[in-house]
Amino acid sequence: MSEGLRERKARLNRRRMEKAAVDLAYEEGIGAVTVARVCSVAGVSRSTFFNYFPSLEEAIFGPPLEYDPALAERLLTTHHADLVVAASLIVTETVRGQTNDDVTRRRLTLFAREPGTTSAVSWASYVSRERLIDVIRAWLDAHPELSRLPGEDSSTEARLIVAMSISIADEGIRELQEVDGDLVIDAEPYRRARRRLAAILAEPEGLHASE
């Protein structure tokens, strides 16, 4: 079905406001962005802004993530030995998007430039987390031989994987290299963060499960 005039106008309005919010954050920092400044740059009223976005954060960071099945399958298969790293990469590549888009490119760079942003946004977005948990759970159900928690419900393992992936993504993304304004996605910084987390979570010597 072709896009009607009203739908096209709405899409372009939303895009203009998103671009204004992301550009301001990219050029001046997230803390410098206000609804008033976005409206001024985009040439819209405050009421129009809130007709499109429930919050300033959504204009900057985007709506809840929707995970492409082919992308998720590729990354989970490639990194099947470490689903925590795979989950981190799924989110990173989803934020970046699969097209050459300045808004999504700059949006991803914000997470690397401002430490703590990944955790803050991830924990604030219940919908994005639950969608990722569903993706991981379904994959574990299809590949039970790769479960690290045999005998446990796959939803439990998926929740733990996603929770840990938020922590390592927040650390790993800080080490990604920015080249000509584009963040180069690389699994190795996430693996290093994963090893640090594993060291912290390692069971102390002499501690028994009953203690």
Side-chain angles (χ1 to χ4, degrees), residues 3-145:
E3 183 181 47
L5 181 61
R6 179 176 296 179
E7 291 78 11
R8 182 173 184 274
K9 181 179 179 181
R11 176 175 59 80
L12 292 176
N13 280 343
R14 182 182 181 90
R15 171 71 178 188
R16 190 165 67 252
M17 287 180 277
E18 274 190 314
K19 187 176 187 306
V22 172
D23 285 351
L24 284 168
Y26 183 87
E27 292 162 6
E28 301 181 33
I30 294 169
V33 186
T34 64
V35 172
R37 293 195 70 192
V38 172
C39 291
S40 176
V41 172
V44 299
S45 67
R46 183 180 179 87
S47 61
T48 297
F49 176 89
F50 284 108
N51 281 338
Y52 285 85
F53 300 98
S55 67
L56 177 62
E57 288 71 25
E58 183 165 311
I60 299 171
F61 300 114
L65 297 176
E66 296 185 20
Y67 303 103
D68 176 69
L71 171 68
E73 179 67 25
R74 173 174 64 80
L75 291 171
L76 288 166
T77 300
T78 300
H79 303 280
H80 65 271
D82 194 338
L83 298 185
V84 175
V85 168
S88 297
L89 290 169
I90 289 170
V91 173
T92 304
E93 294 211 18
T94 299
V95 172
R96 173 61 180 85
Q98 302 304 299
T99 59
N100 187 24
D101 184 308
D102 280 346
V103 169
T104 58
R105 178 173 58 83
R106 286 187 160 198
R107 183 173 276 153
L108 178 61
T109 302
L110 293 176
F111 287 92
R113 286 184 174 182
E114 304 214 14
T117 301
T118 300
S119 290
V121 173
S122 297
W123 285 116
S125 182
Y126 172 84
V127 174
S128 294
R129 288 200 318 279
E130 288 299 307
R131 286 175 178 170
L132 184 56
I133 288 169
D134 286 344
V135 168
I136 304 298
R137 176 193 52 73
W139 201 84
L140 286 169
D141 286 343
H143 304 276
E145 73 281 4

